[in-house]
Each structure stands twice: as C-alpha cells, then as structure tokens.
C-alpha cells in the first residue's frame, strides 16, 4: 500500500528565503507525482506535475524534482513571499490505469514579512 | 478552463439529517469524478470513485449506504451524507477527471451539530 510522507509538517521562514519541501513515497511504481497548494478552507491548486520518466519540472519560482528509485521528491521555492504561505501537498498516482491519488499530510508554510 | 465547482461551500446541519453536496465540471466532460474527505491537519483521503452511469467504487472502510454517490451525467456528481453525525463533520472535496488530469473543486465544509 502506497504511503506518502511530507517533512517538515510546518515551516516558518522570513520573506526572501529559498526553501525546500520534502515528499517521500514507499512504492516507487508510480505514474506521476504532483504538488498542490491548499489555502485555508479552500480546494487544491495544482502547482507542478512530474511524470515518472521526468526528473524535474519548473514553473516560475517553483522547481520540483523526482527521484523515483529512492521514492523522493522535493519542491524548491525561490525567493519566498508572504503570498506563498499555504499548505503544500504532495500526491502520487500509481501505475495500472487507476487515476487514484495518494496524498501526504502536507507542509504548512508560513512566510513572514 | 477546467473549472470544477462545489455546492454548497459550507453547510451546518443537525445530527440525523441528510446532506447533499454537488460537484460540477463547468467547462469539460468528466469521465470520472472522485470524492475525498479531509479532517483537520490530515491528508485528503479518497472515499470513492464514480463513473458516469455506473455505481461508485468505494474505498475500504467507507460505508456506501451512508455516503451515497450519484453520477448522473458527465458534468455532475452528488454525494449525499445520510443520517449525518458529528463525526461526519469534515471538509469534502471532489475532483473531476478529463481522462488524464484531476481538477479539484473548492471543497464543502460540513458541520454536524
């Protein structure tokens, strides 16, 4: 059974700092991995999706990497801003045609002005 | 594009009543819709997968008679929480898939008194 773990559970940084969020998964047989952002009481916004054959994806100040063999992914946020404050969720989709996603508990990020 | 709506966004009800939550894909046809539940500081847990015109597939531990899912069209799925109890209070999020990507709704906050 796939399990997804995110470390740390919470992170507080000053504005402008570069930071890394970590995600690990127990079963490396994945189809893709996705990073989401969730604001309090809101739904999910997809940030980056990495296919199993890819090593990284970039969008603006965000860069996500994937090391499938070791079951790890990182989300790098450059020059953090107060508007980046949110919970970041990692989710993996397994092989076999199912679209089911298994989520981690998330990392709550606070960027202080 | 790819917008998913949920209604209502928030509902408070008395214990024993039934609550219906709607999930709509506004600008695309969703072959599959998913229902998730999220308790405070926990990850999203998949409750069930529904395909238009067929019975939903429930995850282990989810009572199908308590959480009724109807997927009557390619743009609408409903989740009915029957005889709701305080322990059903949670954040319910749906997602709709176009066959490749899941798009998430904004969520429904349910509070059962």
């Amino acid at each position: 059974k796939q399990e997804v773990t995110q470390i740390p559970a919470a992170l507080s940084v000053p504005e402008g700092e570069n930071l890394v969020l970590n995600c690990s998964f127990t079963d490396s047989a994945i189809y893709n991995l996705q990073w989401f952002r969730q604001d309090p009481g809101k739904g999910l916004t997809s940030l980056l999706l990495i296919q199993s054959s890819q090593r990284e994806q970039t969008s603006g100040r965000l860069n996500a990497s994937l090391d499938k063999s070791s079951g790890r992914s990182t989300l790098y946020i450059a020059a953090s801003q107060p508007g980046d404050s949110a919970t970041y969720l990692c989710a993996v989709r397994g092989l076999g045609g199912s679209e089911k996603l298994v989520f981690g508990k998330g990392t709550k990020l606070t960027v202080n002005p | 594009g790819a917008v998913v709506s949920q209604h209502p966004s928030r509902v408070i009800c008395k214990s024993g009543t039934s609550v219906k939550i709607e999930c709509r894909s506004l600008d695309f046809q969703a072959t599959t819709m998913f229902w998730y539940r999220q308790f405070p500081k926990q990850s999203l847990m998949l409750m069930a997968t529904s395909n238009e015109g067929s019975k939903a597939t429930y995850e282990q531990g989810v009572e199908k008679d308590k959480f009724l899912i109807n997927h009557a069209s390619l743009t609408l799925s409903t989740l009915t929480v029957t005889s709701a109890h305080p322990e059903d209070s949670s954040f319910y999020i749906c997602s709709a898939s176009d066959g490749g990507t899941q798009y998430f709704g904004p969520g429904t906050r349910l509070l059962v008194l």
Side-chain angles (χ1 to χ4, degrees):
Chain A
K1 178 185 176 184
Q2 180 73 271
E3 293 183 2
V4 179
T5 303
Q6 290 187 246
I7 295 173
L11 181 63
S12 181
V13 300
E15 182 176 5
E17 196 162 293
N18 301 325
L19 56 100
V20 175
L21 307 181
N22 297 290
C23 172
S24 61
F25 45 96
T26 54
D27 186 351
S28 62
I30 65 169
Y31 183 77
N32 61 38
L33 181 144
Q34 203 162 358
W35 283 93
F36 294 89
R37 170 186 172 135
Q38 185 177 29
D39 292 287
K42 304 292 184 182
L44 275 61
T45 300
S46 179
L47 299 173
L48 290 165
L49 184 149
I50 311 177
Q51 300 294 348
S52 62
S53 59
Q54 297 175 321
R55 297 298 295 268
E56 65 177 342
Q57 281 285 344
T58 299
S59 175
R61 293 182 295 109
L62 305 180
N63 176 276
S65 68
L66 173 64
D67 185 342
K68 195 174 67 167
S69 61
S70 68
R72 294 180 183 175
S73 175
T74 61
L75 178 66
Y76 175 82
I77 302 177
S80 58
Q81 303 170 357
D84 294 331
S85 298
T87 296
Y88 291 80
L89 297 167
C90 167
V92 297
R93 174 179 168 181
L95 297 174
S98 171
E99 293 185 69
K100 290 183 186 179
L101 296 178
V102 179
F103 284 84
K105 291 185 179 181
T107 294
K108 184 176 181 180
L109 173 65
T110 303
V111 181
N112 301 300
Chain B
V3 177
V4 177
S5 69
Q6 278 185 245
H7 178 79
S9 59
R10 194 179 190 90
V11 58
I12 302 173
C13 69
K14 293 181 179 180
S15 183
T17 59
S18 293
V19 175
K20 180 184 284 188
I21 303 170
E22 291 186 351
C23 177
R24 293 181 185 272
S25 57
L26 299 184
D27 51 2
F28 67 100
Q29 293 188 327
T31 53
T32 307
M33 287 186 170
F34 303 85
W35 287 96
Y36 296 84
R37 180 168 52 184
Q38 185 181 33
F39 291 107
K41 297 186 179 181
Q42 299 296 314
S43 61
L44 274 74
M45 297 298 294
L46 180 64
M47 298 175 66
T49 303
S50 74
N51 293 291
E52 184 263 342
S54 61
K55 290 184 179 180
T57 302
Y58 291 81
E59 294 299 302
Q60 192 172 16
V62 178
E63 300 174 58
K64 62 180 181 180
D65 294 330
K66 181 170 182 62
F67 298 98
L68 301 179
I69 292 173
N70 183 279
H71 194 158
S73 76
L74 285 171
T75 59
L76 173 64
S77 176
T78 60
L79 168 68
T80 301
V81 184
T82 62
S83 186
H85 291 284
E87 57 266 31
D88 298 323
S89 298
S90 188
F91 192 55
Y92 292 85
I93 303 178
C94 74
S95 70
S97 171
D98 60 4
T101 301
Q102 285 188 42
Y103 302 95
F104 286 80
T108 296
R109 173 74 61 190
L110 171 64
L111 177 61
V112 185
L113 303 176

